[in-house]
Amino acid sequence: MERIAIISDIHGNLEALKAVLEDMRERRVNKIYCLGDIIAKGTHSKECLDLIVKNCEVVLKGNCEEILVGNIAMKSDLDEARRAWNRNKLSDEDLKYLVSLPYCHEFYLSGRLVRLFHATPKNIEGIVGNEDDIESLYSLFLSSENTLSQEKADIIVYGHIHTQSLHRIYNRCVLNAGSVGNSIDLFRNDEKDGDVRNTSLANYLVLSGKLDSTDMYESFSYEFVQVPYDVDKELGENADNIEFEAYETELRTGKYRDMARFYRFLEIKGIDRGKI
C-alpha cells in the first residue's frame, strides 16, 4: 500500500512547508507530488523550491510559475513590480527549472486513473466557477491537449483555489488538495464563520492504494490533512515583502485579499452573492 501526499500552493511559505514535510514523515508517506504555485506571495520562494526539488517525485507547473517565467503582460505596474521582486528571489537555474515543469501527471492507484494538474485540464489558471454545476465538475475528468492520455479520469486532484474539497459525480471523484502556505475559504460570513483554524492551517491530501495497479478491487482511500505551523515566525521573516499586508491578512484570517474580485467572478458565473 502506497501513501502518496499531494501538495499545492506553497506560495513561499517556508514554515508551513517544513511543518507539512515533518507531518508526512510521521504519517509515513511514501511519495510526495506537488501541483505547483511553489513561489510568489511569501518571501521564501527559493528555500521552498529547494525543499520541493529535494522531497517531491513529481512537480507540476502552476499559474504563478507560468507568470513568473513567461512573457505574460502584467495588468499594472504593481503586478510587474511583484513579478520582478519574486524573480529576484530565484537564480537563473531555478527559473530554467520552473520553465521545464510539466502541466499534468497521471498514474493508476488501486484501479483508478488519477490525473493531477494545477487548475483545469485546459487552463493553468482556469476556475470551475460553480461547483454545484455538474457539467462544470464533469469537465475536469475530460482529457485535453495538456493531459498525458485521452482517457477520462476516475480521480482528479487539483489545487489553485486554496480550499480543500471533495465532490463525487458519475462514479468519479474530484479532490482539491488545498494550499500548504496560503489556505483560504472564499465563502465567509462574520455571523456564520467558525474557528479560522478550520481554514488557515497548512493543508494537504494523502491518497492511499496500490500504485500502478489496474485492479479496482484493491483498497483505496483519501485523507485531508491540516497542520499547524508558526505563522508569527513566517511573517516575522517577511519584512521585505512588497505585499506584506495582503499576505498577513490571508495567513491570519484565511480571507482572500481581493474579495471584490471574487464577487465580480460570482456575478459573471450567475451565483447569488446574497446566499453566501
Side-chain angles (χ1 to χ4, degrees):
M1 181 80 70
E2 297 281 354
R3 291 177 56 77
I4 301 172
I6 302 180
I7 62 175
S8 189
D9 298 274
I10 296 90
H11 284 295
N13 187 333
L14 182 60
E15 290 303 311
L17 179 57
K18 290 192 299 185
V20 160
L21 292 174
E22 178 59 31
D23 189 77
M24 291 175 186
R25 284 188 281 270
E26 293 177 1
R27 293 174 188 270
R28 298 186 178 181
V29 162
N30 305 107
K31 301 178 186 295
I32 308 173
Y33 298 164
C34 177
L35 306 183
D37 276 13
I38 304 159
I39 59 172
K41 293 196 173 185
T43 196
H44 293 117
S45 288
K46 169 65 176 174
E47 296 89 338
C48 288
L49 180 58
D50 288 345
L51 282 176
I52 291 297
V53 171
K54 179 180 178 181
N55 289 280
C56 295
E57 293 197 17
V58 173
V59 184
L60 303 182
K61 185 184 293 184
N63 61 294
C64 284
E65 284 82 26
E66 182 75 12
I67 291 170
L68 190 72
V69 300
N71 295 314
I72 301 170
M74 295 289 96
K75 295 179 180 179
S76 68
D77 291 342
L78 177 58
D79 287 339
E80 188 57 60
R82 288 170 176 162
R83 178 161 66 178
W85 181 78
N86 281 286
R87 279 179 172 168
N88 287 335
K89 297 289 182 182
L90 300 169
S91 69
D92 289 343
E93 288 302 312
D94 294 333
L95 295 174
K96 289 178 182 178
Y97 173 79
L98 295 178
V99 168
S100 71
L101 292 176
Y103 190 102
C104 174
H105 182 68
E106 298 175 8
F107 57 98
Y108 276 92
L109 191 67
S110 295
R112 285 83 170 169
L113 175 58
V114 182
R115 181 175 289 142
L116 312 178
F117 44 73
H118 183 71
T120 77
K122 292 184 176 181
N123 189 337
I124 202 165
E125 56 182 358
I127 295 177
V128 174
N130 183 352
E131 293 189 336
D132 292 327
D133 181 347
I134 297 298
E135 288 307 306
S136 291
L137 285 174
Y138 177 63
S139 70
L140 295 176
F141 298 106
L142 305 181
S143 62
S144 77
E145 66 278 4
N146 298 312
T147 59
L148 300 185
S149 75
Q150 296 304 301
E151 302 295 323
K152 293 178 185 176
D154 299 300
I155 308 289
I156 287 299
V157 186
Y158 72 115
H160 190 51
I161 62 172
H162 296 205
T163 305
Q164 290 178 327
S165 64
L166 180 156
H167 297 275
R168 292 192 62 88
I169 58 169
Y170 304 134
N171 298 325
R172 305 173 192 273
C173 187
V174 177
L175 296 162
N176 191 287
S179 171
V180 168
N182 193 224
S183 300
I184 59 175
D185 191 339
L186 289 169
F187 295 95
R188 303 294 290 270
N189 182 300
D190 289 341
E191 295 181 1
K192 299 176 181 178
D193 279 356
D195 193 308
V196 69
R197 288 168 294 184
N198 286 319
T199 293
S200 63
L201 302 185
N203 295 336
Y204 72 99
L205 171 70
V206 178
L207 300 182
S208 298
K210 189 171 182 180
L211 188 61
D212 299 328
S213 171
T214 56
D215 184 355
M216 190 70 78
Y217 289 98
E218 299 283 355
S219 177
F220 174 83
S221 68
Y222 33 76
E223 176 184 8
F224 288 114
V225 183
Q226 297 181 319
V227 183
Y229 70 95
D230 193 336
V231 176
D232 289 334
K233 182 177 180 181
E234 179 64 30
L235 290 172
E237 296 176 355
N238 268 262
D240 68 332
N241 195 327
I242 64 172
E243 46 186 344
F244 178 83
E245 184 176 347
Y247 187 60
E248 181 181 32
T249 295
E250 289 182 341
L251 264 55
R252 292 198 185 281
T253 71
K255 288 185 178 180
Y256 181 45
R257 64 184 63 193
D258 189 359
M259 289 303 293
R261 178 185 177 191
F262 174 61
Y263 292 140
R264 289 194 300 272
F265 178 76
L266 291 182
E267 184 177 353
I268 292 169
K269 294 294 182 179
I271 302 172
D272 186 356
R273 174 182 167 183
K275 293 182 179 180
I276 297 175

